[in-house]
């Protein structure tokens, strides 16, 4: 009997020890969870490091361009196949809105379909955010109309400016832009048909690239601001723009190449930049013969890359052969070998600032 009582007493004591250990582990788990999001303290990634067994954990928060978003999503999915305990939320509010978050330290990576602007650099500097600029691929801004529009197959840069530049506010018919296009040197005959424009908003890197490549070709000489007409349906979401183009037989709009080439019910127009009409293809975007080609980037928070093993590993994977293959897999144009090696060198050296 006394032996039984001693055994019971020993079991109760052992149970109490296990209870205390479990409670302590539970508290630790709670702390890890609270630090795993995109809050100000973690700044887009919990630097939790490696769990027992060598598997990475933590989080890497990615935001920015809706154009680059499919690339980062594809890379994240591949990376998670090997590192399932790393949380990698990716969203695409637009390059500009993404930089707002990035330069406040709220995200680890900003996807960008246009190069960082001076004002964005200043904002990051004010908040002590150093970044590493990584060129990851190429895109061709695709000018589109509805597939039912048989009136045109090619437009010049002069036509595009006349249709959606700062002097075209109020034009609600394609032919309204005829005099301006002709004045600029175009010989295109624009149709007498309703002009329904859907395109990127100002928060979008696609908007910034469009202004830089097309609008700035003409606006300064004409005493105009470097911007588009304000009176069109705008969105930072390429899918919404595609839907707008699909919704009108005589629509006009522009998105990134990967979205355009996969879209149904639209017609991609060739563009004449002065050397004849050229369609966006992998080859013409890569060699620069397509007049509205542009680079695509990711911007990495340099301090977080040092403090967060999951972030460093994710960018390593992004630039690996398997990771960077996602650029072509989702429909964009891969870098030339020498350009990819230059990007990898910048990352390996953790070279900060705009290049």
């Amino acid at each position: 009997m006394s032996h039984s009582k001693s055994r019971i007493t020993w079991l109760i004591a052992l149970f109490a020890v296990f209870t205390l250990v479990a409670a302590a582990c539970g508290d630790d788990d709670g702390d890890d969870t609270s630090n795993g999001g995109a809050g100000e303290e973690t700044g887009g990634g919990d630097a939790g490091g490696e769990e027992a067994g060598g598997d990475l954990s933590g989080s890497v928060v990615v935001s920015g361009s809706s154009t680059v978003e499919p690339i980062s999503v594809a890379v994240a999915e591949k990376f998670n196949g090997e590192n399932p305990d790393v949380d990698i939320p990716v969203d695409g509010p637009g390059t500009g809105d993404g930089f707002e978050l990035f330069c406040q330290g709220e995200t680890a990576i900003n996807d960008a379909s246009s190069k960082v602007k001076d004002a964005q650099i200043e904002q990051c500097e004010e908040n002590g955010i150093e970044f590493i600029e990584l060129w990851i691929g190429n895109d061709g801004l695709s000018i589109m109309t509805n597939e039912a529009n048989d009136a045109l197959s090619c437009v010049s840069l002069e036509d595009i400016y006349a249709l959606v530049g700062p002097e075209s506010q109020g034009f609600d018919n394609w032919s309204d832009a005829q005099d301006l296009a002709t004045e600029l040197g175009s010989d295109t005959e624009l149709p007498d048909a309703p002009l329904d424009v859907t395109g990127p908003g100002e928060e979008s890197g696609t908007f910034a690239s469009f202004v830089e490549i097309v609008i700035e070709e003409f606006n300064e000489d004409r005493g105009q601001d470097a911007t588009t007409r304000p009176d069109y349906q705008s969105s930072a979401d390429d899918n919404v723009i595609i839907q707008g183009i699909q919704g009108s037989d005589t629509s006009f709009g522009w998105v990134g190449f990967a979205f355009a080439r996969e879209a149904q019910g639209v017609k991609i127009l060739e563009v004449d930049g002065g050397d004849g009409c050229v369609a966006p293809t992998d080859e013409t975007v890569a060699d620069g013969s397509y007049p509205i080609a542009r680079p695509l980037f990711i911007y990495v928070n340099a301090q977080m890359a040092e403090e967060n093993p999951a972030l460093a590993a994710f960018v390593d994977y992004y630039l690996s052969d398997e990771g960077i293959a996602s650029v072509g897999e989702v429909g964009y144009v891969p870098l030339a070998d020498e350009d990819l090696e230059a990007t990898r060198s910048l990352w390996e050296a953790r070279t900060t600032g705009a290049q």
Side-chain angles (χ1 to χ4, degrees), residues 105-138:
E106 295 183 23
T107 59
I109 294 174
N110 193 56
D111 291 339
S113 57
S114 61
K115 194 173 176 66
V116 63
K117 302 291 185 290
D118 289 344
Q120 293 160 343
I121 294 173
E122 291 174 8
Q123 183 184 5
C124 279
E125 288 177 346
E126 289 172 1
N127 293 320
I129 304 296
E130 288 190 302
F131 59 78
I132 303 167
E133 178 187 81
L134 300 173
W135 180 18
I136 60 162
N138 296 300

Side-chain angles (χ1 to χ4, degrees), residues 63-70 91-96 98 110-114 204-206 236 238 294 296-297:
S63 189
S65 166
S66 65
T67 300
V68 180
E69 181 184 9
D91 71 344
T95 300
N110 193 56
D111 291 339
S113 57
S114 61
S204 168
T206 303
D238 291 300
R294 60 172 174 171
L296 302 175
F297 302 92

Side-chain angles (χ1 to χ4, degrees), residues 18-312:
F18 279 136
T19 301
L20 289 172
V21 171
C25 291
D27 288 343
D28 288 344
D29 290 343
D31 289 344
D32 287 346
T33 301
S34 66
N35 289 331
E40 183 176 357
E41 189 172 337
T42 62
D46 177 11
E50 298 184 3
E51 300 289 344
D55 294 330
L56 283 168
S57 65
S59 66
V60 177
V61 179
V62 184
S63 189
S65 166
S66 65
T67 300
V68 180
E69 181 184 9
I71 304 173
S72 291
V73 167
V75 176
E77 289 175 350
K78 292 179 183 179
F79 182 81
N80 278 147
E82 301 177 10
N83 302 277
D85 293 330
V86 179
D87 182 34
I88 311 176
V90 182
D91 71 344
T95 300
D97 285 354
F99 269 122
E100 286 287 332
L101 298 172
F102 181 79
C103 291
Q104 293 173 23
E106 295 183 23
T107 59
I109 294 174
N110 193 56
D111 291 339
S113 57
S114 61
K115 194 173 176 66
V116 63
K117 302 291 185 290
D118 289 344
Q120 293 160 343
I121 294 173
E122 291 174 8
Q123 183 184 5
C124 279
E125 288 177 346
E126 289 172 1
N127 293 320
I129 304 296
E130 288 190 302
F131 59 78
I132 303 167
E133 178 187 81
L134 300 173
W135 180 18
I136 60 162
N138 296 300
D139 179 28
L141 291 180
S142 298
I143 307 299
M144 296 183 299
T145 185
N146 191 285
E147 65 178 358
N149 188 356
D150 295 328
L152 290 169
S153 60
C154 177
V155 288
S156 67
L157 294 180
E158 291 84 359
D159 297 329
I160 301 171
Y161 178 88
L163 290 164
V164 293
E167 298 179 65
S168 61
Q169 184 172 352
F171 291 176
D172 56 13
N173 192 297
W174 286 72
S175 60
D176 291 342
Q178 185 68 69
D179 289 345
L180 177 54
T182 302
E183 180 183 343
L184 292 170
S186 170
D187 58 6
T188 305
E189 184 176 346
L190 298 174
D192 181 12
L195 175 62
D196 299 311
V197 181
T198 307
E202 292 184 359
E203 71 278 17
S204 168
T206 303
F207 176 92
S209 295
F210 181 82
V211 168
E212 180 179 346
I213 299 170
V214 178
I215 304 301
E216 291 185 5
E217 188 79 12
F218 306 98
N219 71 287
E220 188 172 351
D221 288 342
R222 299 186 62 81
Q224 299 291 325
D225 292 334
T227 188
T228 64
R229 59 187 294 176
D231 56 339
Y232 68 88
Q233 180 183 339
S234 66
S235 175
D237 188 330
D238 291 300
N239 291 305
V240 173
I241 297 169
I242 293 288
Q243 291 168 10
I245 296 167
Q246 292 167 334
S248 168
D249 286 350
T250 53
S251 56
F252 182 91
W254 64 100
V255 297
F257 184 38
F259 284 87
R261 77 199 304 183
E262 295 297 327
Q264 303 297 315
V266 304
K267 177 180 179 180
I268 301 176
L269 298 173
E270 297 181 353
V271 176
D272 184 353
D275 296 317
C277 296
V278 180
T281 66
D282 290 344
E283 293 73 24
T284 61
V285 170
D287 65 20
S289 60
Y290 180 66
I292 320 181
R294 60 172 174 171
L296 302 175
F297 302 92
I298 61 172
Y299 289 82
V300 182
N301 184 303
Q303 182 177 348
M304 291 183 195
E306 293 300 317
E307 298 174 351
N308 183 353
L311 172 57

Side-chain angles (χ1 to χ4, degrees), residues 332-354:
Y332 293 110
V333 180
L335 295 177
D337 289 344
E338 60 270 24
D339 294 326
L340 178 56
E341 288 308 311
T343 290
R344 287 170 170 167
S345 295
L346 288 173
W347 169 243
E348 185 177 351
R350 298 299 195 268
T351 304
T352 59

